[in-house]
Amino acid sequence: AEAQAGQRQAVSQSARLEEDMAAAAASAAAELSTVKVSSDAAAEALLSRAEAAEAEAEAERAAAERLRAVLAGQGCEAEAARCELSSRAAEAEAEAEAAKAASEA
């Protein structure tokens, strides 16, 4: 009878241990699921920030390209103005030399 009581007690303890282990496993699975959801959300947020940073960098590259085009245009205008002034100066010098030559003649 004592042996049977000991067996029943061992079986009962074994059943309680199995229940505790099953509860612990369920708790761990729930925690892992929560961690995975948090991890997925964090990864999604990082991806979103990376995409936003990439879009911002692309916008900055486009703005820099537009600025380069404007500056190139201004450089061309400045070069044309310099050529015009140089041409006018040469004409004025030629007229002055012609006037000097005419006055000496």
Side-chain angles (χ1 to χ4, degrees), residues 84-98:
E84 177 69 21
L85 288 174
S86 178
S87 174
R88 286 184 186 174
E91 287 175 7
E93 187 178 333
E95 287 176 8
E97 286 183 18

Side-chain angles (χ1 to χ4, degrees), residues 6-101:
Q7 271 185 329
R8 280 193 291 258
Q9 188 178 6
V11 168
S12 177
Q13 285 178 342
S14 176
R16 276 196 302 266
L17 183 59
E18 283 181 23
E19 288 173 1
D20 289 348
M21 288 176 58
S27 176
E31 191 173 330
L32 280 174
S33 177
T34 300
V35 168
K36 183 183 181 320
V37 168
S38 295
S39 174
D40 289 349
E44 190 65 33
L46 283 174
L47 179 61
S48 179
R49 279 188 282 190
E51 288 171 348
E54 186 178 344
E56 185 177 342
E58 184 59 35
E60 287 178 5
R61 279 193 290 274
E65 189 59 38
R66 287 192 301 273
L67 181 58
R68 276 194 288 277
V70 166
L71 291 175
Q74 288 176 350
C76 290
E77 290 173 11
E79 181 63 21
R82 188 190 65 73
C83 289
E84 177 69 21
L85 288 174
S86 178
S87 174
R88 286 184 186 174
E91 287 175 7
E93 187 178 333
E95 287 176 8
E97 286 183 18
K100 181 180 176 186

